[in-house]
Amino acid sequence: MRLYLAVFALLAAVHCEELFNGDQVLRINAESENHIQILKKLERDVDSGLDFWTHAVSTEQPVDIRVPHSSLYALKDFLKKNNIPFTVIINNVQEHLVREREEMVRNAKMESKTKSFNFAAYHDLETIYNFMDTLVANHSKLISKVNIGSTYENRSMYVLKFSTGGEKKPAIWIDAGIHAREWISHATAVWLADRIAKDFKENRAHVPSILSQMDIYLMIVANPDGYVFTHISSSPLSRFWCKSRSATSNPKCHGVDLNRNWDAEFGGPGASDDPCAEDYRGPSAQSEIEVKNIVKFIMSHGNFKSFMTLHSYMQLLMYPYGYIGIDAPDWPELHDVATKASKALNSWHGTVYKVGSIFHTIDQASGTSVDWAYLRGIKYSFAFALRDTGEYGFLLPADQIVSTARETWFALRYIMKYVCDHPY
Amino acid sequence: MKTFCSVWLLLSLVELSPAPPASQEPPLACTGAPDPAPPQPETAEDMASTGDLEPTHYPARRAAQVALHYLNTHHGSPFRVFGLQQVHKASAEDVAAGGRKYKLDFSVTDWGSGSAGPALRCSADVLFPRTERHSAPKVELHCEALQQINSTAQEDDAFYQKYISPDSTVSARDIPDSFGNMSEEMQPFWRLARVAASFIMLRESSENTEFNMAKVASITQQESSEEQLMLEFVVLLHDFPSQEIVQWKLLASWSPDRGVRVLQTEWQPRCPHATKPPN
């Protein structure tokens, strides 16, 4: 898919002029961290004219570069001098564009299924959905994909179910991407899905013991319509889209803040009634089909013990309430669990998270998913706001995805183990 | 060939979308943008935030962010932008003439040196006036060892020399891009935009806002004047409580000697027809 997108980008960029004659696409196979650093430096040099189709991240993933004809000899020479192996995967880009386009698309689709998925990159919805299918195919005894309904624009909403069997075991819910522009949340969830599968397969603590007693439900994209919208262009109107994409009472403004639309003190302070506002709550609780689908699923399952949602940014680990400033009945325990989870998170890269209720750490907020879950009796309900604290904000560089996901995993694993050890 | 290419492009465009989206490229339609810093009713937290404050809660953090903006307007440069590390202690009290003054003890880091860099300890008084029309908070700030952190004079000078030449016409968009990428050449310009944006963020802040710069939409170098680099920025600010993205155009000057000065600012409402001025 990426290859296909790159081809399209080429076409669009040059308005069909014949500028790629003699250009080649090289596939670089870095063999050491030193190679990676060399490639990174090359990529940062914007004057080089090299067009990196994939980024230099690790020795496990190849780096594809479109090289203008004029730079070919120099680059190949440079790579040889540094003992960096490469192959020519597209011999003449122009000819290839004209004659081989369809085959390239087909190959790219095949490749994305069989080769390692690049966790250190942000992917569009189709790619993430393909990843889910591949993961399910590779771990068919453990993971299944559940379709819990369609979005406003008729896209499927999928949840990955991790289960070692049994009828409606007590379950843990994790969702990401309810706010479309918070790309690090989807990217983290993708990594988490793979990590849980791997830890189970390799019998790494505490996943096998958790999964022996509980099921894990992971929803990587809770707002598919919004996510697709953020990919349309780099314009702020697109990339910074937050809400759903439903029509509202104002024809000029679309979308509802899906994290203000839940039936938890809906209508209270901490959300807006203006359809043009970013925190527009919607006309009524659960008016948004995306929220309704999740509610229906969780309520009909009836045995969820933990509800966790991933957002960004600000590095916060929060618990109920959002709608009011009084302490939730389970406050001491929730605060203790969140504090220990944030310490586990901090142990990996030293990233500091602040712990507190939504009301106190962010602001009063009504109609939030965490409040809804808690008020429905799902005691261990938490909201994460992932990296960073404002330097890049929503535009967190892709090279922070894996470290963010890994530290988040430390916290999540702690919470899941705790939930497992404290049945109620 | 050209028609074939255009047809092919169109076909690719159609294939690209898995499901026909209800919306295409976002229209430049009027969204009726609210004021950049919409006034919000006082919440229970506001009422309670007199006396000692919980450092991890938002009232202290918002006040510290204001102090950060102030710090960056004075000490930010193409190679130095400060970010909040954590608030250690905070308190607030109502003052005469209806304002609220926060006393803060907090640490900052230079984003340039990452989490590996040293943390600077700062103390600040931040006064939010309570006036009919919004007026900028007043800050008094003191940071330990500010003079002792590694000077960026060399990088500043090299950067200045490179771009002060009359031929220099730097122009760029989307810094960083959707994926957080930014070329090394653009980083000093991004930091300058962040420093210049700090003037606006400082001015527009209240107890109900918490601003960060989400993105630099564009950078256009203007003709240098009085030996100052002149840069026109369009920046997008993100307000954390309301989650709104606000767009500002500004003209800033910089030189190693004079630092950053902001000469003009212009709020750019998303709705072309909105005439409501900010604050």
Side-chain angles (χ1 to χ4, degrees):
Chain A
M1 178 59 189
R2 215 182 315 121
L3 216 50
Y4 169 66
L5 273 177
V7 169
F8 171 73
L10 283 180
L11 289 174
V14 298
H15 309 294
C16 294
E17 288 175 56
E18 283 208 2
L19 282 189
F20 299 118
N21 245 318
D23 290 5
Q24 291 186 347
V25 177
L26 306 187
R27 171 153 291 169
I28 319 280
N29 293 294
E31 288 176 335
S32 69
E33 187 53 42
N34 184 39
H35 287 176
I36 294 293
Q37 291 311 317
I38 291 172
L39 290 169
K40 275 190 174 155
K41 190 151 179 232
L42 212 52
E43 189 172 1
R44 283 198 290 266
D45 178 9
V46 282
D47 295 328
S48 67
L50 299 178
D51 181 8
F52 277 71
W53 284 5
T54 59
H55 303 293
V57 167
S58 82
T59 55
E60 285 154 52
Q61 283 123 20
V63 180
D64 294 341
I65 315 177
R66 177 183 66 81
V67 186
H69 181 70
S70 54
S71 310
L72 266 176
Y73 279 122
L75 180 68
K76 285 178 175 173
D77 207 44
F78 175 80
L79 292 171
K80 283 180 191 140
K81 279 211 174 76
N82 283 282
N83 289 316
I84 303 179
F86 65 90
T87 50
V88 178
I89 57 170
I90 300 176
N91 206 330
N92 182 328
V93 176
Q94 187 63 35
E95 282 177 19
H96 203 108
L97 286 179
V98 172
R99 283 191 273 106
E100 311 278 315
R101 178 176 154 271
E102 275 182 52
E103 203 201 313
M104 202 161 41
V105 170
R106 244 181 285 125
N107 284 341
K109 281 189 173 147
M110 279 286 293
E111 265 181 304
S112 66
K113 281 191 171 148
T114 56
K115 278 218 145 60
S116 323
F117 184 87
N118 186 2
F119 293 101
Y122 294 108
H123 299 287
D124 62 16
L125 188 73
E126 189 184 330
T127 310
I128 291 180
Y129 278 15
N130 288 337
F131 161 80
M132 290 200 278
D133 288 337
T134 309
L135 194 72
V136 168
N138 290 340
H139 301 270
S140 51
K141 285 215 187 74
L142 177 69
I143 313 176
S144 56
K145 187 175 84 172
V146 185
N147 185 331
I148 69 163
S150 295
T151 66
Y152 181 84
E153 288 176 346
N154 221 17
R155 294 185 174 86
S156 297
M157 294 178 68
Y158 294 121
V159 183
L160 292 178
K161 175 184 178 184
F162 295 76
S163 177
T164 54
E167 255 313 297
K168 288 229 175 113
K169 291 214 299 256
I172 293 165
W173 171 273
I174 305 170
D175 69 68
I178 210 168
H179 285 151
R181 61 191 177 197
E182 297 166 7
W183 281 15
I184 186 60
S185 71
H186 317 71
T188 293
V190 164
W191 186 94
L192 290 172
D194 183 71
R195 178 61 190 247
I196 295 172
K198 263 209 198 79
D199 277 10
F200 182 79
K201 185 163 164 198
E202 292 164 18
N203 208 23
R204 205 183 315 178
H206 302 278
V207 170
S209 64
I210 293 169
L211 285 172
S212 70
Q213 294 166 66
M214 303 187 78
D215 291 340
I216 298 173
Y217 287 85
L218 176 60
M219 175 162 234
I220 297 178
V221 190
N223 179 6
D225 293 351
Y227 193 58
V228 167
F229 197 80
T230 62
H231 277 84
I232 292 179
S233 84
S234 60
S235 137
L237 288 164
S238 164
R239 175 60 179 85
F240 288 140
W241 189 261
C242 182
K243 305 188 281 183
S244 67
R245 288 297 304 164
S246 55
T248 70
S249 54
N250 185 331
K252 292 184 184 133
C253 296
H254 290 258
V256 166
D257 182 341
L258 293 176
N259 202 26
R260 296 290 184 278
N261 189 246
W262 299 70
D263 186 13
E265 294 301 312
F266 180 90
S272 173
D273 287 312
D274 177 4
C276 302
E278 290 285 29
D279 60 349
Y280 174 50
R281 62 175 114 247
S284 60
Q286 293 177 199
S287 59
E288 299 309 285
I289 183 77
E290 291 87 353
V291 170
K292 212 189 302 239
N293 288 337
I294 297 176
V295 167
K296 207 163 45 139
F297 180 75
I298 291 181
M299 294 304 281
S300 64
H301 181 283
N303 204 16
F304 276 92
K305 299 300 178 187
S306 174
F307 179 96
M308 294 187 277
T309 179
L310 304 183
H311 289 255
S312 78
Y313 54 93
M314 209 44 105
Q315 289 171 206
L316 305 166
L317 178 40
M318 302 168 282
Y319 44 80
Y321 294 117
Y323 81 93
I324 199 170
I326 62 167
D327 292 338
D330 300 289
W331 175 84
E333 187 187 7
L334 293 178
H335 186 82
D336 187 59
V337 172
T339 302
K340 296 209 168 82
S342 75
K343 289 210 169 83
L345 186 155
N346 175 267
S347 71
W348 184 254
H349 288 292
T351 306
V352 175
Y353 269 55
K354 314 290 188 295
V355 171
S357 73
I358 294 171
F359 181 96
H360 287 115
T361 49
I362 294 191
D363 210 331
Q364 186 169 25
S366 60
T368 63
S369 65
V370 170
D371 279 0
W372 173 84
Y374 186 74
L375 292 169
R376 288 295 174 292
I378 303 176
K379 180 163 48 152
Y380 299 110
S381 292
F382 297 97
F384 284 74
L386 303 177
R387 289 196 199 175
D388 56 19
T389 55
E391 185 178 354
Y392 290 100
F394 300 121
L395 305 179
L396 193 73
D399 63 16
Q400 289 195 42
I401 294 174
V402 174
S403 49
T404 302
R406 222 190 318 252
E407 67 192 11
T408 307
W409 170 237
F410 274 62
L412 280 170
R413 189 176 60 185
Y414 174 84
I415 296 174
M416 292 200 289
K417 170 97 174 50
Y418 185 92
V419 173
C420 201
D421 292 342
H422 295 80
Y424 62 94
Chain B
M1 180 64 188
K2 207 156 185 182
T3 31
F4 171 71
C5 256
S6 319
V7 169
W8 189 0
L9 241 187
L10 281 168
L11 285 176
S12 321
L13 195 57
V14 166
E15 255 186 68
L16 201 61
S17 11
S23 38
Q24 300 294 324
E25 169 78 39
L28 292 170
C30 177
T31 59
D35 287 328
Q40 289 189 13
E42 283 198 2
T43 62
E45 183 80 34
D46 283 347
M47 300 303 198
S49 61
T50 309
D52 280 342
L53 301 176
E54 183 59 53
T56 54
H57 290 179
Y58 71 78
R61 201 181 59 228
R62 288 180 192 173
Q65 186 73 337
V66 171
L68 237 321
H69 294 320
Y70 179 88
L71 175 62
N72 282 321
T73 59
H74 282 74
H75 294 280
S77 79
F79 294 91
R80 171 152 294 137
V81 176
F82 291 102
L84 179 66
Q85 192 199 55
Q86 55 176 315
V87 180
H88 303 289
K89 282 212 301 268
S91 65
E93 57 175 1
D94 291 331
V95 298
R100 183 170 291 147
K101 183 191 276 197
Y102 289 72
K103 278 179 142 42
L104 304 160
D105 170 13
F106 57 104
S107 293
V108 304
T109 52
D110 177 3
W111 277 345
S113 31
S115 51
L120 276 186
R121 194 70 174 241
C122 300
S123 62
D125 283 359
V126 177
L127 171 65
F128 291 104
R130 293 280 173 81
T131 50
E132 275 271 325
R133 272 175 58 92
H134 171 87
S135 54
K138 296 190 176 47
V139 181
E140 279 169 36
L141 174 74
H142 173 75
C143 291
E144 297 173 353
L146 196 52
Q147 311 310 322
Q148 286 158 19
I149 46 176
N150 285 337
S151 160
T152 59
Q154 252 189 330
E155 296 105 311
D156 287 346
D157 272 328
F159 175 75
Y160 178 77
Q161 292 308 326
K162 183 171 180 187
Y163 292 105
I164 197 67
S165 98
D167 307 326
S168 178
T169 50
V170 173
S171 166
R173 303 187 62 83
D174 292 332
I175 315 287
D177 66 15
S178 287
F179 307 89
N181 296 322
M182 184 182 347
S183 68
E184 212 166 294
E185 194 200 356
M186 278 298 122
Q187 278 182 23
F189 289 102
W190 178 77
R191 289 191 203 104
L192 272 178
R194 182 56 166 81
V195 174
S198 299
F199 284 81
I200 299 175
M201 294 191 282
L202 174 62
R203 191 183 69 199
E204 300 295 321
S205 287
S206 73
E207 287 169 283
N208 298 318
T209 62
E210 194 172 344
F211 287 111
N212 271 297
M213 185 177 81
K215 178 170 158 140
V216 181
S218 70
I219 302 168
T220 319
Q221 184 172 10
Q222 311 291 306
E223 200 180 312
S224 303
S225 158
E226 292 173 29
E227 294 177 354
Q228 306 296 305
L229 278 186
M230 301 292 286
L231 295 160
E232 182 193 84
F233 295 112
V234 174
V235 297
L236 293 153
L237 308 180
H238 174 235
D239 173 44
F240 195 62
S242 68
Q243 288 294 309
E244 296 290 340
I245 303 278
V246 188
Q247 184 164 308
W248 285 85
K249 181 157 114 173
L250 59 120
L251 180 64
S253 70
W254 175 79
S255 70
D257 299 327
R258 267 215 255 164
V260 176
R261 303 258 173 103
V262 172
L263 310 165
Q264 283 168 37
T265 66
E266 182 191 318
W267 174 53
Q268 302 201 305
R270 280 203 238 164
C271 166
H273 312 296
T275 51
K276 218 168 166 198
N279 289 320

